[in-house]
Amino acid sequence: MAIFGKRKNKKYMSQASAEQVQPTGQASPEQVQPIEQASQNPYKPYENLAQSAPQQSSRELTFVRQARGDDIPRKAQRVYLCWDLVDSAKRNTLAADILSHDAGIDCVVTFIDEEPNETDSKVLQNELFDTQALILCVSTEILESWKKGRAPVEYTLARELGMPILPVVCDERLFAQFTDLAGAIHGIAMTDIEYRAKLQDQLQALLASESLIEDITTKAFTANLFLSYRKKDIAAARSFMRAFYDVDDFRSIAIWYDNFLTAGRIFDEEIRDSIDKSDAFVLLVTPHLQESGNYVLAEEYPYAVDNNKLLLGVEAVSTQKTEFLSCYPTVTNYAPLAAHESLFRSALPDSSFLASYDSEQSYLLGMAFMKGVLVERNIERSIAMLSLSAEGNSMISLKAASQLSDMFEFGFMVDCHLEEALKWQTRAVELAETACGPEHTQTAKAYNNLAVLQEKRGNLTSALKWQLKDIAISEKVHGKQHPDTAISYNNIALVYQKLGEYEKALEYHSKALHIREETLGSKHVHTATSLNNLALLYQQTGAYDKALENFQKALLVFEGAYGAKHPETAMAYSNLGALFTKLGDYDKAEEMCGKAVDTMEELAGLAHPYTAIASNGLAGVYEKRGEHQRALELCKKSLVCLEPVLGESHPDVATLYNNVGMLYNKAGKYDEALTMCRKSIELSKDLGESKKPWTVSAFNTLGSIYLNKGDYSGALEMFERAKEIGQRSFDSTHPDFVMICNNIAIVYKMTGSFDKAFDMLGQALDISERVHGSEHPDTATTYNNLGVLYRDTGKYGKALEMYERALGIRREVLGAEHPETGSVYNNIGIVQHQIGNYEAAVGMCEKSLDILEKTLGTDHPDTAASYSTLGLLYDKTGQRDKALELCKKAVDVSERILGKDHPATARAYNNIAIVYANAGSSGTALEMLVNALRIWMRVYGPDHPDTQAAFSNTAGMFMQSGKSKEELYQWLEMQGV
């Protein structure tokens, strides 16, 4: 189910992350932040193994071994298949799939046909010790048993042993239940359209190919030891091997022990063959070796003596030497474990010990320790040897660097670490250029992989540089109509899109789509990927009709290929929902986003990045509907579920904190909003990404919060920080600067710096028209804000001109009955009121209210604000009953939707107080003014303009009856102000 990176040399090219819908900021929509799946690491080092020796149970389990042919192949690796013991047909299908993959790997599949009991766990533990990977066939029966507290015994043992585990679910819909029970372990589904290919990829990662095993066997090692021990001493044997390989120049010495026996074959023959090939026969000395009838004493030792093998004894557990020698008299080379180094140096030839390793040997030893070929699996030693290999200048060094980059990027047996991945992929590029030349396909792949990592880290300019290099080679080698070239076009288009270079992005997305339609067909999922990516681009550039058309085409392909219950289909629903949100069609938006959330929760559970994306999309719908609390609860739920899976040190967790902060801001809970946004920025700094694009949104949100609180210096500082980060990450024409410049202009307007405000809006308009063109919603937002600024400076003619431009764009792009179109009518009405055209003002505001009631409903904060505005106009034109009716509606909606302590509710109190005062109801007016003052004092503090205006109005009305200031202050104190 995991979506891997957009890598040209991987079988599965990633689709663009579905757009995450976030709540909007102060002036314009926040930057969209994608969420990617984090790779989980279910592996543990062998050091975590229990030190108690496994014992045989009183009964013998029967292990069924299956191979490709009738005979068990020599040196085959083992895969243990854990199943429900009910559906043998499903088990046989999975076993056949494992054995039939074409990856140059031969293996034996082992399973049992009987229910294991408690004593069988020791036998199963021994079997798993000797197995490369466990594949868990996840069925309904297994999950039902698991829910009752009976997890599969083999699975539990494998987790304890730190074995690689691959869950294979029989149906994608079982993922959610499995995740709830086992945690976020990466798996694949048998119902996935690309299941067989994904299974092959996983087996290649878990097992060693026959060619790799051959190379390791013949080229990696300078000497071979045969380790002879009692089965009950397995823990001591592992301790010895760890100590042995802690000596650097011992790492080229292979240790064969019975973990490498081929399951299903006659082990006597293999043991003798391995003794024959060994340079020394090593006895792991414990008191158990003297027990009569044991296999070491009866078979292995006599065979080694008869074949004149060098005999060495290593005392792992304190043992009476005389008793040991009475059983093994020819073992004269003997030492305790602490002195094992000198024992082997004196017994083996000098050629066994290497002071240095060449690139090929280092690479092969690194892979041997990774795959467990003739040495015990140890990921730390694997990384050390692969790192050594990558220091060379050969093709082998390139393979080593690429392997290390993949391990750290995708978290294969290590924690994900993108900086480490970037370091090794940079080295891979250097090696590809040196070993292959600048125009080789391997070099192109290295360029592409480096570009993907740079993009993940937010280094977009660098990503673009490497993608262009990749494309130059792809076009020359494959031609301009090849699917591989289409992948390169797709990847560079996504970078251009993030950089805000939309014409370039459109060019390359169109090229990729054309190639895929011609070579793969219109119903291929990769074609749908291009349709999806093109739709996201159209949406960003305001071409909503084209976006809708392409999203719908992509959805039809995904539904046809995957069905309705699939993650990619769910993301297609989410994308459509996000677009409908922008179009103001909130019913359809909620339907689509709801489908996405329901599908992902069913398939993958709450703790999955795709579920978080879908949930954020639905939260965006609720936010637009004015249901801030509902949106907030959904985002907080996503955060609680996802943070334990991804950990705090993940950019998506930082993004979720920012989302929650934005919603607290909308709800008027500014302290909580600040806490969340500061946490977001703190996590970004911990990630080393304090100057990366995704923190633009966090600082912008902080600025919006400070602006709402009336802390204009704090707001300006935060917006300037957002601008500074953006300048380091983008060029100066990036569309995010439209949002930042608009917000800075608002601060300047509020502080009376009108010239600076005009300058900022001029910059915003210039960028928007150059990047988006003159018919884009962001351009309309800037025109609208210019209208507000001209209005506040008394230039009413220019204000109306700006509003008319904004109105024209919004009617054309969003429609005549979109809420944002309605807001412009409202603004025009305010200007008409200010210049004395009351009849025209009423007409505009009535039109605005009609649109808002139709699109947002009567219980929405924006509708409530419109009630107040129109109510004040009615009051101005002498229609006092209508005025009071609408202002009461405004108060009622604000109190119910936002609460009695929200700043917007305070404004509704303030406005109705004006109507009551003009109607002669001074007592009620004073009550409403005090309510407004109490809220603004608590939320904004005494120095905010709204607080000061409310205090002035309250004081004026209170003192009209001849009361003093002292009486005013006493009365305010009694009112809780």
Side-chain angles (χ1 to χ4, degrees):
M1 244 173 97
I3 302 299
F4 293 105
K6 300 179 289 289
R7 304 176 72 99
K8 185 175 173 184
N9 62 327
K10 295 292 178 186
K11 189 165 186 72
Y12 305 107
M13 182 200 58
S14 143
Q15 301 175 17
S17 295
E19 184 179 40
Q20 179 189 358
V21 182
Q22 295 187 348
T24 55
Q26 176 70 21
S28 60
E30 296 285 350
Q31 178 186 17
V32 170
Q33 299 283 351
I35 290 185
E36 302 166 2
Q37 182 169 359
S39 299
Q40 297 300 306
N41 178 18
Y43 308 108
K44 302 175 185 176
Y46 275 124
E47 281 70 14
N48 289 345
L49 290 173
Q51 295 300 306
S52 59
Q55 303 293 326
Q56 294 287 348
S57 70
S58 58
R59 70 164 182 161
E60 289 294 329
L61 280 178
T62 302
F63 293 101
V64 180
R65 319 282 189 186
Q66 290 186 354
R68 288 184 181 179
D70 295 333
D71 297 324
I72 302 296
R74 292 181 63 79
K75 307 301 181 187
Q77 296 165 95
R78 307 185 204 181
V79 170
Y80 189 95
L81 179 54
C82 178
W83 64 295
D84 55 33
L85 303 180
V86 175
D87 192 347
S88 58
K90 191 70 71 178
R91 176 208 67 198
N92 292 338
T93 298
L94 179 53
D97 290 341
I98 295 168
L99 294 170
S100 66
H101 69 91
D102 183 20
I105 298 172
D106 208 355
C107 65
V108 174
V109 176
T110 303
F111 55 85
I112 58 175
D113 276 329
E114 54 190 310
E115 185 75 32
N117 59 39
E118 186 175 346
T119 57
D120 290 330
S121 64
K122 299 302 182 181
V123 178
L124 286 168
Q125 188 180 57
N126 283 341
E127 177 67 28
L128 294 176
F129 271 138
D130 302 338
T131 300
Q132 274 67 45
L134 180 133
I135 294 183
L136 176 64
C137 184
V138 182
S139 63
T140 303
E141 289 78 12
I142 272 188
L143 293 173
E144 288 303 317
S145 177
W146 207 326
K147 290 174 187 175
K148 297 173 183 176
R150 298 194 299 273
V153 174
E154 301 97 311
Y155 168 81
T156 303
L157 289 170
R159 290 299 295 264
E160 291 173 359
L161 298 176
M163 284 183 62
I165 298 170
L166 174 62
V168 177
V169 298
C170 299
D171 189 293
E172 286 171 354
R173 290 171 292 186
L174 300 179
F175 263 125
Q177 297 177 58
F178 175 72
T179 301
D180 289 341
L181 293 166
I185 301 176
H186 169 65
I188 55 179
M190 297 178 78
T191 51
D192 191 327
I193 194 171
E194 295 180 313
Y195 152 68
R196 291 180 184 278
K198 289 183 178 180
L199 177 62
Q200 176 177 311
D201 265 13
Q202 291 300 314
L203 290 170
Q204 282 181 303
L206 296 170
L207 305 177
S209 68
E210 294 168 21
S211 60
L212 178 61
I213 292 173
E214 178 66 21
D215 283 345
I216 290 172
T217 304
T218 58
K219 299 177 183 178
F221 298 107
T222 53
N224 292 277
L225 306 181
F226 182 98
L227 182 62
S228 182
Y229 64 98
R230 295 296 304 281
K231 200 72 169 177
K232 61 181 71 177
D233 291 326
I234 180 63
R238 290 174 184 275
S239 295
F240 160 69
M241 286 186 281
R242 285 195 297 272
F244 184 87
Y245 287 120
D246 281 342
V247 183
D248 287 345
D249 56 352
F250 282 17
R251 291 181 182 177
S252 63
I253 301 173
I255 298 179
W256 192 100
Y257 69 117
D258 61 9
N259 180 67
F260 302 120
L261 284 170
T262 303
R265 293 185 60 85
I266 299 173
F267 62 84
D268 284 344
E269 296 177 0
E270 245 183 293
I271 286 174
R272 290 168 187 162
D273 182 52
S274 299
I275 293 173
D276 288 339
K277 293 177 180 177
S278 68
D279 297 296
F281 179 86
V282 181
L283 279 162
L284 189 74
V285 180
T286 75
H288 297 137
L289 278 187
Q290 286 86 265
E291 294 171 356
S292 62
N294 74 77
Y295 188 82
V296 174
L297 182 60
E299 301 290 339
E300 290 181 352
Y301 170 69
Y303 185 81
V305 171
D306 290 345
N307 286 273
N308 300 313
K309 288 294 170 182
L310 173 65
L311 304 177
L312 305 173
V314 176
E315 186 182 62
V317 177
S318 179
T319 305
Q320 287 291 333
K321 188 174 181 181
T322 54
E323 293 181 10
F324 168 75
L325 290 176
S326 67
C327 296
Y328 304 91
T330 58
V331 182
T332 55
N333 295 296
Y334 185 97
L337 180 60
H340 77 278
E341 182 177 348
S342 58
L343 170 68
F344 286 101
R345 288 194 189 281
S346 62
L348 296 175
D350 291 343
S351 59
S352 303
F353 313 106
L354 294 182
S356 62
Y357 303 92
D358 62 31
S359 295
E360 182 178 30
Q361 191 170 27
S362 299
Y363 171 76
L364 292 173
L365 286 171
M367 297 307 291
F369 281 113
M370 179 189 294
K371 305 287 186 177
V373 179
L374 294 181
V375 289
E376 180 133 283
R377 191 193 300 264
N378 186 300
I379 199 63
E380 290 182 5
R381 292 194 179 104
S382 173
I383 291 172
M385 300 311 295
L386 289 171
S387 301
L388 186 60
S389 175
E391 293 176 4
N393 291 294
S394 63
M395 284 294 293
I396 282 288
S397 302
L398 171 59
K399 290 175 70 174
S402 297
Q403 180 70 55
L404 286 163
S405 178
D406 282 352
M407 289 168 66
F408 285 110
E409 182 179 358
F410 299 126
F412 177 63
M413 299 187 75
V414 293
D415 291 332
C416 285
H417 195 305
L418 290 185
E419 287 296 339
E420 276 294 301
L422 192 62
K423 178 183 83 172
W424 289 116
Q425 191 55 45
T426 301
R427 178 59 180 157
V429 165
E430 296 170 357
L431 290 167
E433 291 176 333
T434 302
C436 305
E439 295 186 350
H440 195 278
T441 53
Q442 288 294 331
T443 308
K445 290 175 182 178
Y447 289 153
N448 179 80
N449 293 351
L450 182 55
V452 170
L453 280 167
Q454 293 285 14
E455 183 184 346
K456 282 186 177 182
R457 299 302 282 163
N459 302 326
L460 299 177
T461 304
S462 181
L464 182 63
K465 165 188 163 184
W466 297 111
Q467 289 289 8
L468 286 168
K469 285 176 172 281
D470 168 37
I471 283 177
I473 299 172
S474 292
E475 289 181 337
K476 187 170 184 177
V477 175
H478 299 301
K480 296 183 179 182
Q481 298 299 317
H482 192 278
D484 263 13
T485 308
I487 296 174
S488 300
Y489 288 156
N490 177 77
N491 290 352
I492 197 170
L494 294 172
V495 178
Y496 276 128
Q497 200 166 330
K498 287 185 177 181
L499 283 166
E501 297 187 34
Y502 296 135
E503 288 186 10
K504 284 285 191 183
L506 179 61
E507 174 190 347
Y508 282 103
H509 274 317
S510 299
K511 284 182 178 180
L513 176 61
H514 174 73
I515 294 170
R516 287 168 176 170
E517 285 179 332
E518 290 294 316
T519 59
L520 303 175
S522 61
K523 295 184 178 181
H524 194 281
V525 289
H526 290 173
T527 305
T529 296
S530 280
L531 289 167
N532 176 75
N533 293 348
L534 200 53
L536 287 170
L537 177 61
Y538 282 134
Q539 180 172 306
Q540 278 185 283
T541 55
Y544 294 148
D545 289 345
K546 291 181 178 179
L548 182 60
E549 178 186 353
N550 282 275
F551 275 142
Q552 288 174 332
K553 285 182 179 178
L555 177 59
L556 285 174
V557 176
F558 286 134
E559 285 181 329
Y562 296 131
K565 298 295 184 180
H566 190 277
E568 301 306 330
T569 310
M571 289 300 95
Y573 290 140
S574 186
N575 286 343
L576 261 178
L579 179 57
F580 283 130
T581 301
K582 287 185 178 292
L583 289 170
D585 191 340
Y586 301 129
D587 288 340
K588 284 186 179 177
E590 186 170 6
E591 178 190 352
M592 290 292 105
C593 291
K595 275 188 177 181
V597 171
D598 291 344
T599 300
M600 286 312 306
E601 285 189 356
E602 182 180 343
L603 293 177
L606 296 170
H608 190 282
Y610 273 18
T611 310
I613 293 173
S615 296
N616 275 307
L618 187 57
V621 183
Y622 292 149
E623 188 270 330
K624 285 295 185 183
R625 286 190 183 279
E627 300 176 48
H628 298 145
Q629 189 60 38
R630 197 174 178 188
L632 182 60
E633 288 171 1
L634 194 56
C635 278
K636 287 168 69 177
K637 182 179 176 183
S638 292
L639 180 59
V640 168
C641 292
L642 205 59
E643 187 171 8
V645 177
L646 300 182
E648 282 193 344
S649 297
H650 195 282
D652 300 339
V653 174
T655 298
L656 280 170
Y657 273 107
N658 183 57
N659 289 357
V660 173
M662 281 190 283
L663 286 166
Y664 273 129
N665 185 30
K666 284 282 185 180
K669 298 179 178 179
Y670 301 129
D671 291 340
E672 293 92 332
L674 286 172
T675 299
M676 291 294 106
C677 290
R678 285 169 179 159
K679 178 74 170 179
S680 175
I681 290 171
E682 179 186 333
L683 294 179
S684 296
K685 287 180 180 178
D686 290 342
L687 291 161
E689 295 297 322
S690 59
K691 296 180 176 61
K692 298 303 179 187
W694 66 61
T695 54
V696 171
S697 181
F699 278 108
N700 184 72
T701 305
L702 268 179
S704 298
I705 298 166
Y706 284 126
L707 185 61
N708 286 342
K709 283 172 64 68
D711 182 353
Y712 300 129
S713 61
L716 185 60
E717 179 186 352
M718 294 301 104
F719 290 140
E720 291 286 3
R721 290 285 298 277
K723 187 177 181 182
E724 175 196 352
I725 295 166
Q727 286 172 332
R728 297 185 185 199
S729 304
F730 317 120
D731 63 36
S732 59
T733 61
H734 192 277
D736 277 357
F737 285 112
V738 176
M739 167 188 69
I740 296 169
C741 290
N742 268 282
N743 287 349
I744 292 174
I746 292 171
V747 179
Y748 284 139
K749 179 183 83 72
M750 297 299 291
T751 55
S753 301
F754 296 118
D755 289 343
K756 290 182 178 180
F758 275 118
D759 179 60
M760 282 292 107
L761 290 177
Q763 290 183 39
L765 186 61
D766 178 62
I767 296 168
S768 189
E769 288 187 327
R770 275 194 287 162
V771 175
H772 295 307
S774 59
E775 300 294 317
H776 188 277
D778 283 2
T779 308
T781 296
T782 304
Y783 278 129
N784 181 76
N785 290 347
L786 275 166
V788 172
L789 190 55
Y790 280 123
R791 183 192 74 196
D792 286 358
T793 53
K795 298 174 182 178
Y796 300 123
K798 289 292 289 183
L800 287 173
E801 179 186 341
M802 294 298 104
Y803 285 142
E804 289 292 345
R805 288 188 184 181
L807 179 62
I809 296 170
R810 286 180 174 173
R811 288 183 64 172
E812 180 66 27
V813 177
L814 302 175
E817 294 195 341
H818 191 281
E820 291 182 22
T821 306
S823 72
V824 184
Y825 284 123
N826 183 78
N827 289 345
I828 292 173
I830 292 172
V831 173
Q832 294 290 1
H833 165 251
Q834 287 177 310
I835 61 178
N837 294 335
Y838 298 129
E839 187 174 340
V842 168
M844 288 290 108
C845 288
E846 284 179 337
K847 192 160 191 173
S848 173
L849 178 59
D850 182 59
I851 293 171
L852 295 181
E853 284 186 328
K854 285 180 181 177
T855 57
L856 302 178
T858 56
D859 286 345
H860 191 281
D862 290 355
T863 310
S866 188
Y867 287 145
S868 270
T869 301
L870 187 55
L872 291 174
L873 278 172
Y874 283 145
D875 184 64
K876 197 77 173 178
T877 57
Q879 302 178 69
R880 200 138 289 151
D881 290 342
K882 280 188 175 182
L884 196 56
E885 177 188 354
L886 286 183
C887 286
K888 283 181 177 178
K889 277 188 177 181
V891 169
D892 175 63
V893 172
S894 296
E895 286 181 339
R896 284 189 294 105
I897 302 302
L898 300 174
K900 293 184 178 181
D901 293 322
H902 194 281
T905 307
R907 192 165 300 283
Y909 290 146
N910 182 80
N911 291 346
I912 198 172
I914 295 171
V915 178
Y916 277 127
N918 291 337
S921 301
S922 56
T924 308
L926 190 59
E927 178 187 346
M928 292 296 104
L929 283 173
V930 168
N931 286 343
L933 178 59
R934 186 185 298 113
I935 296 169
W936 281 330
M937 180 71 80
R938 183 185 61 79
V939 175
Y940 294 148
D943 298 327
H944 192 279
D946 285 350
T947 309
Q948 292 179 349
F951 177 79
S952 178
N953 291 341
T954 304
M957 184 163 290
F958 182 84
M959 297 170 69
Q960 277 179 355
S961 59
K963 294 183 178 180
S964 66
K965 280 189 177 181
E966 289 74 14
E967 289 175 304
L968 168 68
Y969 291 130
Q970 289 174 0
W971 179 77
L972 287 175
E973 187 175 354
M974 290 175 60
Q975 302 303 312
V977 178

